[in-house]
Amino acid sequence: MAIVSIGTDLAQIGRLEEAFGRRGQRMLDRLFTAGEQAYCDRRPKTRFTHYAGRFAVKEAAMKVLGTGWRRGVRWVDLEVTREPGQAPQLAMHGRSGEIAKQLGIDRVFVSITHDAGLAMAVAVAERD
């Protein structure tokens, strides 16, 4: 196993919540899959904390891929999932999955943390 690349990102929870106030559901649909929205919305008191964490993972993953928001990678092509009692995982669909395959990435480990109005994520891409 070898590390291919790493990425990190820091997101302001309040900034994401303010953007939602201006743009509404359309923004959430552009950034987050239905599954991600369901996960976050089941936690009304910390809803935007979880959205910000997932946003940070997506940004970190784009850095891992070396794409940023370009090369056809859509926000919803990167999906953060989490089974009860387990660490979050990243699924790459569409163009992001194609790029990961081209780079020889077999899996991406992610970690999310939140504190003091910030959400931070780290993504580590690995190949066998």
Side-chain angles (χ1 to χ4, degrees), residues 19-114:
F20 173 74
R22 290 189 310 275
R23 297 187 178 102
Q25 187 63 39
R26 187 170 156 227
M27 179 194 83
L28 293 182
D29 291 341
R30 184 173 152 257
L31 298 176
F32 303 101
T33 66
E36 289 171 320
Q37 290 182 45
Y39 178 90
C40 296
D41 291 345
R42 282 194 304 268
R43 295 152 177 80
K45 290 183 180 180
T46 57
R47 177 182 187 204
F48 286 99
T49 298
H50 293 284
Y51 275 124
R54 275 143 187 77
F55 182 83
V57 167
K58 291 169 187 255
E59 288 270 2
M62 288 178 186
K63 292 171 184 170
V64 160
L65 296 173
T67 62
W69 303 328
R70 302 171 322 227
R71 296 181 52 196
V73 174
R74 300 175 314 142
W75 293 101
V76 293
D77 288 345
L78 300 158
E79 182 176 23
V80 180
T81 61
R82 184 172 178 272
E83 296 298 321
Q86 295 184 9
Q89 296 181 341
L90 178 68
M92 291 190 254
H93 311 288
R95 185 69 180 129
S96 68
E98 293 169 9
I99 294 169
K101 188 174 181 178
Q102 290 168 1
L103 295 172
I105 294 171
D106 293 308
R107 73 195 127 276
V108 178
F109 295 95
V110 297
S111 181
I112 307 169
T113 190
H114 333 88

